[in-house]
Structure formats: structure tokens, C-alpha cells
Amino acid sequence: ASFTISLHKVDNTTITINLRPGVSPSCLIRVKNVMESDLKIKPGENVTFAFTCNTPEKYFIMEIQKNIDCVSGPCPFGDVHLYPPGLPRLNRTYIWDVKASTKAGLELKFSTPWLRQIEPGETCPDSISYNINSSIDEAMVNIGTFCRNGSVSRVKLLGGVVMSLHLPWHSLLTTSGFNIANGSSIKRLCIIESTLKGVSSITLMSPNYPLGFPEDELMTWQFVIPSNMRASVFFHNYSLSNCERKEERVEYYIPGSPSNPEVFKLSDSQPANIAGSFNMSLQGCDQDAQNPGILRLLFQVLVQPPQVDENVTHLVDLSKEKNMTVTIHLEGWPSQIPLMSEPICLICKDPRTCDRVLTLASGAVYRISFLCKDLSRLRITAEKGIGCTDIRRCQRNIYSLSVPKVITRLPIRLHKFIWKLLATNLINIEITSPYLKLQQPIPEQRCNTSYSYSIVSATPETELHVGIFCPGGSIEKIQMRNNITITLKTLGKGSINESVPQDLKMSFVPHIKDECTFTVSPKPKAKVYLQTPNSPYGLPPHVSISWFIVVPSKQTARLRFSGDRVGVACETGRAYVNVKEETPGAEEITRREDELLPQPRDMHHSFWVNISNCKPVDKTQLALQFWVTFADKQIDLGIILAVVAGAGVLTAIGLTVCCVKKKKKKTQNPMVGVYNANVNTQMPGKKVFFEKGRQNNESHVYAVIDDAGVYGHLLKESNGSVAPEVDVYRPFDGPVGSLPPSPPPFSFKKDIKRSSNTGEEPPPLTDTDQDNYTFAYQKSGLSKDNGDANEKD
């Protein structure tokens, strides 16, 4: 098919057809039997041509440029037409280059559905786009690129304008969609008007974005919004230039505001909850010639209806907190940021200072409100730091790791609360849960609580994930080295409020031996599952972990490991598992990584389990699980029977002895043990020890002494001295009470003999020697004087 294009000279329009960049000339243009790869038709020319292929749109693009001079002659104001008609269906660009005086402004007014500004590199869904450039004294400024279906209804420019419309080859669009009107001088680079009729969110950019805004320029955005709607402004991306004079700023003109214009820095939180229409202006500065920098801005305007409870405020008193921040945000923040086209929830710390994310710092009191239909979309993330550099000052302090009531009372669900515990090298951290206690969630021991704790021990070089824990277990205490991060996180649809119990506490303690030590204090008849930290990735090399399991006095604990071996091969060092009861003389069970783990065994006392890692080879990791089952102690039936049998034997022996004694008493000779009443039993001048003496109470009179108990005839002389033998009675050496004295333990004194040569008297009797017993016995010969004070045959 051939095409004929006739251009009127007065239209000042030029058409150029060129090969698409990077396309081989497989298709050509034939003009009067001449093959060309491009074609240019100037004003006043009439050209007929054809393509040598059936799909010229794959090879060629077309540009139609119309020059309009509004300086030397009148401007053709009104609707802009797509001229000339009957063009071939190629990807084409219409360009209107309008020259105008800077003393008068030009206005581009767009028909509905208006325009939507897009970022550089972004494409329009229908491939139809507009590009607006301002031309002032031969300097070009890119106002922006736009798609159809948006809110930009008008653009006013100072001086000339170069307007482009890009159409794909298959587009059936027959009108340009805008008109040009004369306007008064605007005294600024441009004014972009955006009309928002209902709930909406738009994104706009400064001219030349992402390149720099022109030096010392001013531009304005006008927002036309119904008075019953509320608008909020958010800056998402901006940078500042290096100013020599003036200051870059943003100015707002808000009808009804007592302080128009309201001036903000680009780094400030921008106004929110604005009722109705308003203007926003961006002002540049005089830049440093050597290092100008770049002023650029990308921002969002959100329009939504007023909220029913927008005047309801919530008190957040952080005045007594230290090193704490509270951030209120949308669910999924910061990894998932909602599209800017979606209406979002706003958090306000005053009626005009609102944002999608609000961070409150400790040491102040806030009154916040929410511009949000559905508060369930909001979450709270809080963080608190606790540090210690001197153990002498910190050791006595116990810190509560509970979520403050000021957070639990807000109508927003807590996402997580983070405690960062910082200590120097010689100071360690102890975590306790004295009442609720902790457990490690594993398939056999699941958490059924509304929250859990994640505990991480970290140094600048290494990080040890101690594990996930939840309340309701048996772990009462955890001691750890290094800096610790504890994160409380809600589970599922769980929430933290004042009715949810919390009892986690922490303190700083002196240096500990292992990287981590657990104290396990179970409930009676409990079954406790425990596993090494950093599961399932395994303990880091050369890390030692210990568990102290408390066994109640009336219980036994059965220890069982989940596997047969440690399951790690060592490159350097050895991996060990040690088990030892906390009782004197207890055997310590030690197994290396190449040995079988201990068999299930009963522990009758509190005991230790220690697991130490080596440097593993390849990708083998030490990840071990064990469990302890508690039960009441069972008394062995054999022991009971043995005790009963022993008692029976003793009883039988006792009865036999009694019977024998009675029988002997009946058949014995008359008694041979006679009390000597003439013996003086008290020392002269000595005070009697008790009122009723032994002479009166007869407590020392032996009624009878068995023949077997008469030992006098067993005394023998040996080398001139008497050597008492076993069972020889000696005088009682202790004080005398009102009851008969018990025999002292067996101890023997040598008899004191008078020396016939020296005539020495025996030593005087002491108080303990005043009670003497005299025994009669059968004489087998002469008896020696035994040295008593009185003697009677």
C-alpha cells in the first residue's frame, strides 16, 4: 500500500520517518522507484511513498513536529489536533514546540481522564505517554512524563513549552487530549494542578527528577480537594544541594491557616490531615559553583475521608523510660511497604503531624491519634537498651523484661519488643523466669502461648542463636556470655495485654565458664525436652554448653539422649558429652564424638549435662537433643523384705537372751556382789552433788553380778604392774547426776600402786573419783592392793 502526505506550509509541520535503532534495513521506503531507509517531508511538500514489506511498524518510527511561534504572532489557542490525518500505522511521536514570552505564561489543559506522572524508566499500561518540557532562553527543563488516567488536570509554564505525545502503531487515538491557553505571568518555573475528587493516592516529582531541580527556581503544585476530605503529604525520596545563599525549603498555603505560608524543611515531617485544597511550593537556592549538589524530590499525597475517631487521643507516657523507642507502623513494615496508590493508615502525634510510620522516643509524653479505618493493620515494634560497664554497680540490679503497660494499653497489636543487653567482656548476663519458666518449642513440646522469646548471643565476630523459648516449661535460668538480644514476638493472632502474664527478668553477673548455662527446675512428674543452641545448624566450633537439672529429693530423673552418637566428625579438638550427679563421690560419665552416647539412666540427685564442640570437618554439625523424665522414687521391695526380716531376727535374738537370763537367775548361786555400807563415799570437806546421796538412793548397789561378770581372778601381774584386760571395770570418771550414769566408752587407766620403797601415798582422789564400787569374788590366792582409798575383803 502507498501513502500520500500533503503538508501545508502555514502549518509549519515536518514529518520524519527513520529506521528504528538497532534494526537491520530489511524493509525500505520506495519513493518514485528510489529505495530509501528514511524519509523527511517538509512544510508545503506532497509526497507519495510505500514500504517494501508488509510489517513496516517493526522497522520504522515516525516523528511529527509542529512549531508554533507565539512571540512574533498570535498563538493558535484551543484544542490541539493530530495533524495530518492518514499517516501510516507506525510508532509515532507528535511534538509541539511552542515559543512564548516569559512575560506571559502558557497553560496546558488536559481533558479527562487527566494525567498521572510516572518515574523515569516507567512505562504506561497503554503505551501512550506525554512528556512536558519547559523552554526558557534556550534552556530545557523536563517537567515530567505522564500517562493517561490520573489527577494532573493543568500545567502552567513560564515561557515556551515542548509538548510530546507518544503513540504506539496500533493506537486508535485521534485527539491529542489537551488544549493550549494563554495565561498570566506565573513568576515561577511552572504550576502543576492536581484534582483529587475522592479517596486516592498520587505520586509527583520535581522537574528534571532524578536529576537536579534548576538553581534558585520556584515551582508550585496546586491540589484541588473536596472540603470534606483530608490530605496528607509524605516525602519518600529527596536530596539537597549545597547552598551558598538562601535555603531550600517547602512552603504550604493552607486556606484557613493562621500562619500562611507554613515553611518546612525537606527533612521535616510534612503536614497531614489537611482539610480541603492547598498549595505546596518548592524553593531552590543559589548553589555552590564548585560543588552544586542536587535538589530533587519525590513525594506522595494521600486523600481520604476524615475518621470517626480522629479526635480520640491515646496517652503514651515514656517520660520514665530510658533508652527506649516505640514505633507504630503498618503490618509487614519495613520489608513490605504498601503501594503508594493504596489508601493507608496514618499515625498522628498531633493533628497535623501524621505519617505511615511514627517513632516515639523515651523521656517524653505523647498524645497520639489514628487516621485509619482498620486499626488491626497497625503494629507496634519497641526496642529498649540495658547496659553495664561496672559489675560493682550493676550486679545488685534486677531488670524486668516485661512489656510496659503504656504499650499494652494501646489499641494496637504488639509485633515485637526487643531488649538489647550490652556488657563488657568480663560481665555476663543472667535471664530468669522464676514462676512461668521457659521451654524450647520442638515437635514433642509445642508452645501454646501468645508469644515467644528469641535469644541471640553475639560478639563482633560470632553470633550464637541460643534458641526460641516460650513460657510454661522448666528452664528457670539461663546464663550467657557476650551481648544479648532478646526479642519478644507475638504468635499467630496472639496479643500482649495486661492480663497476659510475664515474669522474665535479667541481671548482670560475673564471668562464667561456658558460653551458655541452663538451670532446669521441673514440675513433679514432668518430661522435659532440651536441645543444643543454634539448632538445627549446630553449635559453633569450640563452644561449650551446660545444663544443671534439679532433681527433687523425693523424685528420680531418667536421662535419655535422642541419638546413639554426637553426630560430628572433628577436624581439630574433641567433642565431649559429660554427665555427673551433684553428690560427693559421684561418677562422671564422659563420651567423645567417636563413642556411643550414655545409655538411658536414672539420676537420683541433681546433675550436670555438658556438651562441648570441636572444630567439625566438612559440613557436619553438632546438634543434639535429650530429654529428662521425672517420677516419684520407688522403694525396692527387696529392701523392705530385708528390713522386715532383719527386725524379726533381732526380735528373736532379744527374746532368746531374755529367756536365758531368767533361767540363769533361777539356777545361780547366792549373789556374790555385796555392797559395802561402811565405805565412805565422799571426800572430806567436799560438797555433796545432790541432796539424796548414793547411800540413800542405792542407785549404785549391784543386786547381782553374774559369774561371767566377775573379772577379778583374771587380773595378772606383768613386770610388777597390773595390766587390765578387756571388760575390767574402772571407776566412773564423770559427774554424778540424779540418774544413774551411763557407762563411758571403753578406755583404760593403769592401776596406781603404792611404792613400798618410797612410802609415797597415792595421789589424792579427785571429785570424779569419790564414787567407788567394791566387788567380792572367789579367792584363788592373795590379792594385791589396787590402790583404792578403802579396801574390804
Side-chain angles (χ1 to χ4, degrees):
S2 61
F3 301 90
T4 299
I5 297 177
S6 179
L7 299 177
H8 301 291
K9 193 168 187 177
V10 294
D11 291 331
N12 204 13
T13 299
T14 302
I15 297 176
T16 304
I17 300 176
N18 294 311
L19 279 172
R20 298 177 61 178
V23 175
S24 60
S26 301
C27 184
L28 297 174
I29 304 171
R30 182 170 57 242
V31 181
K32 296 180 180 180
N33 296 324
V34 177
M35 300 298 177
E36 302 285 353
S37 60
D38 55 57
L39 175 64
K40 185 174 184 178
I41 305 173
K42 299 178 180 178
E45 294 183 348
N46 190 341
V47 177
T48 299
F49 61 94
F51 297 100
T52 61
C53 62
N54 295 326
T55 56
E57 66 275 7
K58 295 182 180 180
Y59 302 94
F60 295 97
I61 57 174
M62 182 166 54
E63 185 178 282
I64 305 100
Q65 179 170 333
K66 181 178 178 65
N67 297 320
I68 302 174
D69 187 358
C70 293
V71 176
S72 57
C75 265
F77 298 125
D79 292 338
V80 175
H81 302 285
L82 299 182
Y83 174 84
L87 297 176
R89 301 186 64 182
L90 303 176
N91 291 342
R92 54 200 182 276
T93 301
Y94 290 91
I95 301 173
W96 296 270
D97 187 351
V98 182
K99 300 288 190 296
S101 171
T102 56
K103 296 180 180 180
L106 288 176
E107 180 179 302
L108 304 178
K109 187 174 182 179
F110 301 94
S111 57
T112 54
W114 300 326
L115 304 182
R116 173 176 63 87
Q117 189 172 8
I118 61 174
E119 296 186 49
E122 187 179 351
T123 59
C124 298
D126 58 2
S127 299
I128 299 175
S129 63
Y130 295 84
N131 185 264
I132 304 174
N133 288 271
S134 175
S135 174
I136 304 175
D137 300 329
E138 305 300 327
M140 298 290 290
V141 178
N142 181 20
I143 303 301
T145 301
F146 302 82
C147 300
R148 299 194 300 173
N149 297 317
S151 64
V152 177
S153 52
R154 286 193 298 177
V155 177
K156 300 178 183 178
L157 302 112
L158 181 66
V161 61
V162 177
M163 180 73 178
S164 302
L165 170 61
H166 304 276
L167 298 177
W169 67 270
H170 53 78
S171 173
L172 302 177
L173 191 66
T174 58
T175 60
S176 66
F178 71 96
N179 63 48
I180 299 176
N182 188 18
S184 58
S185 177
I186 58 176
K187 298 180 180 179
R188 61 198 67 205
L189 176 63
C190 66
I191 298 174
I192 298 177
E193 180 185 87
S194 187
T195 302
L196 301 122
K197 292 184 176 181
V199 175
S200 55
S201 176
I202 62 170
T203 301
L204 296 167
M205 285 145 275
S206 59
N208 280 344
Y209 186 89
L211 302 178
F213 185 69
E215 181 179 5
D216 196 24
E217 275 290 358
L218 172 67
M219 73 157 295
T220 298
W221 289 271
Q222 293 180 339
F223 298 99
V224 181
I225 300 170
S227 59
N228 64 339
M229 302 297 284
R230 301 291 183 267
S232 302
V233 180
F234 307 101
F235 287 3
H236 294 295
N237 190 13
Y238 69 88
S239 63
L240 303 175
S241 57
N242 298 314
C243 299
E244 282 190 344
R245 291 187 305 134
K246 300 181 182 179
E247 185 179 9
E248 295 165 338
R249 62 189 185 274
V250 180
E251 298 179 353
Y252 292 87
Y253 181 84
I254 301 173
S257 173
S259 56
N260 280 324
E262 296 185 21
V263 179
F264 291 80
K265 295 180 180 179
L266 276 74
S267 57
D268 293 337
S269 292
Q270 303 303 308
N273 204 26
I274 303 170
S277 302
F278 68 98
N279 293 350
M280 170 185 150
S281 298
L282 175 64
Q283 174 67 65
C285 67
D286 291 334
Q287 299 172 348
D288 185 348
Q290 302 297 324
N291 184 22
I294 292 177
L295 171 62
R296 60 185 172 193
L297 173 63
L298 181 147
F299 65 99
Q300 176 192 13
V301 177
L302 175 68
V303 178
Q304 57 187 8
Q307 303 302 312
V308 176
D309 57 349
E310 65 179 19
N311 295 324
V312 177
T313 59
H314 302 270
L315 179 66
V316 182
D317 186 356
L318 302 180
S319 59
K320 296 181 181 179
E321 298 289 346
K322 295 181 179 179
N323 302 322
M324 178 174 161
T325 59
V326 178
T327 302
I328 305 174
H329 54 86
L330 282 170
E331 184 179 13
W333 174 89
S335 58
Q336 298 177 4
I337 298 177
L339 298 175
M340 289 185 290
S341 59
E342 298 178 359
I344 55 177
C345 291
L346 298 179
I347 308 102
C348 307
K349 61 181 178 181
D350 60 59
R352 289 277 300 281
T353 305
C354 305
D355 209 334
R356 299 186 304 171
V357 177
L358 180 64
T359 298
L360 309 176
S362 56
V365 179
Y366 304 89
R367 291 188 178 274
I368 64 173
S369 59
F370 303 101
L371 298 179
C372 183
K373 286 185 176 181
D374 185 8
L375 292 181
S376 65
R377 299 176 59 199
L378 293 177
R379 296 290 184 270
I380 295 175
T381 296
E383 183 175 308
K384 183 178 179 66
I386 303 174
C388 179
T389 56
D390 187 350
I391 189 64
R392 293 172 296 179
R393 297 182 179 180
C394 309
Q395 190 170 4
R396 296 182 179 179
N397 296 334
I398 297 177
Y399 302 89
S400 172
L401 301 186
S402 297
V403 179
K405 292 182 179 179
V406 68
I407 294 178
T408 60
R409 290 173 179 171
L410 288 173
I412 307 300
R413 180 182 167 190
L414 177 69
H415 174 53
K416 58 185 175 181
F417 197 109
I418 304 169
W419 290 273
K420 292 193 173 181
L421 313 178
L422 308 176
T424 56
N425 291 335
L426 298 179
I427 302 175
N428 296 140
I429 292 166
E430 179 178 283
I431 307 298
T432 60
S433 179
Y435 304 111
L436 298 178
K437 301 182 184 178
L438 302 175
Q439 68 176 8
Q440 293 175 287
I442 56 177
E444 298 84 358
Q445 181 176 266
R446 297 185 181 276
C447 291
N448 56 1
T449 56
S450 61
Y451 64 93
S452 67
Y453 298 101
S454 170
I455 302 179
V456 177
S457 171
T459 65
E461 296 81 18
T462 61
E463 182 175 284
L464 173 65
H465 189 262
V466 179
I468 304 293
F469 302 87
C470 55
S474 301
I475 300 174
E476 184 176 352
K477 181 168 62 178
I478 307 175
Q479 290 181 322
M480 294 165 284
R481 290 184 185 176
N482 310 322
N483 297 328
I484 307 298
T485 299
I486 301 177
T487 303
L488 182 152
K489 191 171 183 180
T490 53
L491 302 175
K493 296 183 179 180
S495 60
I496 299 293
N497 52 47
E498 294 182 66
S499 64
V500 177
Q502 304 173 66
D503 76 333
L504 201 66
K505 303 180 186 302
M506 67 81 55
S507 57
F508 294 98
V509 296
H511 190 69
I512 62 174
K513 177 183 177 182
D514 298 321
E515 277 74 6
C516 186
T517 301
F518 298 86
T519 298
V520 182
S521 181
K523 296 178 182 179
K525 299 183 180 180
K527 188 173 186 179
V528 182
Y529 291 87
L530 301 166
Q531 63 183 8
T532 51
N534 224 44
S535 180
Y537 306 107
L539 282 180
H542 307 300
V543 167
S544 178
I545 307 295
S546 291
W547 291 263
F548 180 66
I549 292 93
V550 178
V551 180
S553 59
K554 296 182 179 180
Q555 296 227 313
T556 59
R558 186 164 184 82
L559 172 65
R560 182 188 295 269
F561 289 90
S562 60
D564 296 331
R565 297 178 183 270
V566 172
V568 66
C570 294
E571 179 179 330
T572 59
R574 287 287 194 180
Y576 290 95
V577 174
N578 298 281
V579 179
K580 184 178 182 181
E581 284 190 286
E582 188 80 352
T583 183
E587 176 191 4
E588 182 173 359
I589 303 169
T590 302
R591 296 290 187 270
R592 297 195 310 256
E593 79 282 354
D594 56 350
E595 297 175 326
L596 292 174
L597 288 172
Q599 293 296 314
R601 59 191 299 112
D602 291 331
M603 316 297 284
H604 301 282
H605 304 87
S606 299
F607 63 96
W608 288 91
V609 175
N610 175 267
I611 299 176
S612 302
N613 197 13
C614 59
K615 182 182 179 182
V617 298
D618 301 328
K619 296 182 180 180
T620 59
Q621 300 292 341
L622 197 163
L624 197 59
Q625 184 182 114
F626 61 95
W627 61 91
V628 184
T629 306
F630 292 83
D632 292 334
K633 283 186 177 179
Q634 300 295 328
I635 300 178
D636 194 342
L637 183 59
I639 295 175
I640 295 175
L641 294 175
V643 170
V644 172
V649 170
L650 292 176
T651 302
I653 293 173
L655 292 173
T656 303
V657 170
C658 290
C659 293
V660 170
K661 283 190 173 183
K662 288 183 178 180
K663 183 176 181 181
K664 289 186 70 177
K665 284 182 179 180
K666 292 180 179 180
T667 60
Q668 251 182 352
N669 293 329
M671 55 186 169
V672 297
V674 180
Y675 175 71
N676 186 0
N678 296 324
V679 175
N680 182 12
T681 60
Q682 296 195 18
M683 289 287 293
K686 295 291 183 176
K687 187 177 180 180
V688 180
F689 278 77
F690 43 84
E691 293 180 1
K692 187 174 183 180
R694 296 177 65 97
Q695 296 94 332
N696 299 327
N697 63 22
E698 299 182 349
S699 62
H700 62 299
V701 176
Y702 283 78
V704 64
I705 297 178
D706 293 342
D707 292 341
V710 178
Y711 305 109
H713 68 284
L714 299 177
L715 299 174
K716 296 178 181 180
E717 289 189 11
S718 176
N719 298 327
S721 63
V722 178
E725 296 195 18
V726 177
D727 291 333
V728 176
Y729 178 79
R730 298 306 305 159
F732 174 68
D733 295 330
V736 177
S738 59
L739 295 174
S742 299
F746 291 125
S747 64
F748 307 103
K749 297 179 182 179
K750 290 186 178 181
D751 284 73
I752 302 171
K753 294 182 63 177
R754 289 192 182 96
S755 175
S756 58
N757 299 329
T758 61
E760 293 177 353
E761 294 294 327
L765 296 175
T766 62
D767 292 346
T768 58
D769 293 331
Q770 59 184 323
D771 298 322
N772 297 311
Y773 297 85
T774 302
F775 299 92
Y777 54 90
Q778 296 176 355
K779 294 181 181 180
S780 60
L782 296 174
S783 64
K784 298 290 182 178
D785 184 1
N786 63 0
D788 287 342
N790 297 297
E791 176 182 337
K792 186 172 182 175
D793 292 336

